[in-house]
Amino acid sequence: MAGVILNGSTSGSVTLDPPAVAGSTVITLPSTSGTMLLSNGDGSGLTGISGANFTNNYVRLSGTQLNNAQNSVTKYILETELSDTNGWWDSTNHKFLPNKAGWYQVNCSWTPSRAATGVLQFYHRLYKNGTFQDELGGRNVSYANSTNSGPGHVNCTYFAYLNGSTDYLENYVYTYDYGGGGDGWVTLTHMYISWVGV
Amino acid sequence: MTLFEKIKTLYPEFTDDDHINSYVIQNDMDGKGEYLASWSHPTAPRPTEEQLQGVA
């Protein structure tokens, strides 16, 4: 059967044209009146659709200085919770364990430094479920410091999917002192972990 | 003596790149201290626990 044409009461018409494929296609209309969203519309007339609520869907942390041993990947546990309305940061085990599934964006800034003049290599490594994963981008942050103070911040951005029940994230840091074995000094200046979608 | 220092003693010929790229020393800050999480040096074998403990 070809399409069905509904003629308007005075002029015009509406044509319902089934797709040219096998099987049935069912269109179910709601029991209330309304306006259908068309593919060439901008959705500006729609109501009742709420955007992502970022008010509470994030944690904000800062930290204090960790003196990291030479050539060691060390869990950073010196966090201070500045904002965590949902209790997503596990301050006992020092990990991010949200009860809301979805994609999370991690933004953080670190200040690495060392005791003497030389070069210090620094990596921030984000671990998911106890394992460092390349796709989280943890290798992308490298830092060389030629003075004895931290001249700037190392900024990091990651995305990670967490299942809202068992998945968690942890911060690890790595330092290597090319000058001969001194500790690297690392401070988490700030960290935001925000839910951004499903 | 740290684990890094022990490996440096066992393999004095290692360069900075060897130390950075050939193995991972990890510390989960759970009270168990540092451990050798992985070893991938192309020629030098992974040191045994006995070798590491034998380094003064």
Side-chain angles (χ1 to χ4, degrees), chain A residues 113-134:
Chain A
S113 60
R114 64 189 298 275
T117 301
V119 176
L120 178 75
Q121 187 172 49
F122 164 74
Y123 292 100
H124 170 225
R125 293 187 168 192
L126 197 63
Y127 277 48
K128 178 182 175 182
N129 300 336
T131 304
F132 171 65
Q133 299 182 11
D134 283 335

Side-chain angles (χ1 to χ4, degrees), chain A residues 63-82:
Chain A
T64 52
Q65 182 175 284
L66 166 69
N67 294 348
N68 190 42
Q70 169 78 329
N71 202 29
S72 178
V73 178
T74 305
K75 184 175 179 178
Y76 189 88
I77 62 169
L78 307 171
E79 311 93 345
T80 301
E81 290 181 78
L82 300 175

